[in-house]
Amino acid sequence: MNGILPLRLEEVSYVAGGRTIIERVDLSLEAGASTIVLGANGAGKSVLMRLMHGLLAPSAGRVRWNENGARRRQAMVFQRPVMLRRSALANVVYALEAAGVAAAERAGLAREALAEVGLAHVAARPARVLSGGEQQRLALARAWALHPEVLFLDEPTASLDPGATREIESVIRAFDAAGTKIVMSTHSLGQARRLGDEVIFLHQGRVAERAPVQTFFKQPASAEAAAFIKGELPWT
Ligand SMILES: Nc1ncnc2c1ncn2[C@@H]1O[C@H](COP(=O)(O)OP(=O)(O)OP(=O)(O)O)[C@@H](O)[C@H]1O
Ligand SMILES: [Mg+2]
């Protein structure tokens, strides 16, 4: 099958401010399974996601997609979404415009995406007055409107309460069910269990372990992952 996956990271390192933040990460992301990038605060999750999505260039190594030149087929939702000073609908329309979608199709696709995340009723409201949970759902709609093959989600529920977190998780499940490859970072063990098929455990910028989610929690192979699961590794 043709597609942008697998995505291969070949010995990828990222150095900033004189520090190696990502160190020789070598992995391949396949279509299908939802991949969780798990790690403590500062482990390098956001930087790794940005490297994967192409927003940062590696200091060494290579990031290779199966097919190139397909920016529309990948999207990312950030830890802190930034909304334009426009309506919720206009924010989604703008993303479609930026991705090169024909003008006549934009409003229809944007309304569909808002409905899918449960925000049809706030379409006309200024995006910046929406609650944190609603803004994060709007960010999901913006990414989802393009029906990407791969969706990178960087701690999409980090600042949300349990109710809003559940809503976001159910939206993510729907995207997964529609066939989009989910790559999500989190430091939440519960979320990794609920949404992940496999875990990439990041520790101090290195992949300490990669395993199916069940195996990871039952029998972590690395000391770092075992300590993180036990709650002994909060900050590193
Ligand atoms: N441009 C940069 N210059 C210098 N240091 C950076 C830069 N970007 C990230 N870092 C550092 O790299 C480390 C990893 O950052 P990153 O944001 O990827 O962590 P994270 O795993 O996403 O953490 P969190 O769970 O808190 O979001 C941090 O110590 C951060 O301060
Ligand atoms: Mg982060």
Side-chain angles (χ1 to χ4, degrees):
M1 197 186 93
N2 289 337
I4 60 173
L5 291 169
L7 167 65
R8 293 209 165 81
L9 274 70
E10 298 171 353
E11 297 281 318
V12 167
S13 293
Y14 184 77
V15 179
R19 279 182 53 215
T20 300
I21 291 160
I22 293 295
E23 193 167 355
R24 304 186 67 153
V25 168
D26 210 36
L27 53 83
S28 173
L29 293 180
E30 317 287 337
S34 294
T35 301
I36 302 291
V37 176
L38 185 68
N41 289 133
K45 301 181 296 296
S46 293
V47 171
L48 182 63
M49 301 283 281
R50 284 169 192 266
L51 286 163
M52 288 174 171
H53 190 46
L55 297 173
L56 290 175
S59 309
R62 293 217 297 171
V63 176
R64 290 172 57 198
W65 292 90
N66 184 46
E67 282 175 4
N68 281 322
R71 293 287 308 175
R72 273 186 64 175
R73 290 150 78 184
Q74 56 183 97
M76 182 159 172
V77 171
F78 298 92
Q79 204 163 342
R80 292 180 213 90
V82 178
M83 295 302 157
L84 300 176
R85 229 174 263 284
R86 305 179 189 179
S87 70
L89 183 71
N91 267 269
V92 183
V93 166
Y94 178 80
L96 290 165
E97 183 183 350
V101 173
E105 290 175 38
R106 289 174 204 154
L109 287 171
R111 284 192 189 281
E112 258 174 50
L114 285 178
E116 289 193 63
V117 303
L119 287 184
H121 62 294
V122 302
R125 227 176 270 174
R128 291 189 178 184
V129 308
L130 299 178
S131 73
E134 288 167 339
Q135 287 200 24
Q136 198 53 281
R137 274 191 282 155
L138 178 55
L140 283 168
R142 216 160 44 176
W144 181 245
L146 296 165
H147 294 274
E149 252 175 76
V150 183
L151 185 55
F152 294 103
L153 303 162
D154 189 14
E155 299 213 45
T157 62
S159 54
L160 304 183
D161 68 32
T165 296
R166 269 198 303 280
E167 285 170 2
I168 297 280
E169 289 183 358
S170 80
V171 170
I172 294 169
R173 265 192 218 98
F175 295 171
D176 177 36
T180 289
K181 161 83 177 181
I182 302 292
V183 182
M184 185 179 79
S185 75
T186 184
H187 58 254
S188 157
L189 298 172
Q191 192 159 55
R193 274 183 206 268
R194 288 192 295 277
L195 294 181
D197 295 314
E198 63 161 353
V199 172
I200 291 172
F201 180 68
L202 207 59
H203 178 68
Q204 296 179 350
R206 288 190 219 180
V207 175
E209 183 165 349
R210 179 181 191 173
V213 70
Q214 306 274 3
T215 313
F216 179 82
F217 284 105
K218 242 195 267 160
Q219 284 177 312
S222 63
E224 292 88 353
F228 186 72
I229 291 167
K230 272 205 246 156
E232 291 166 2
L233 230 180
W235 305 285
T236 45

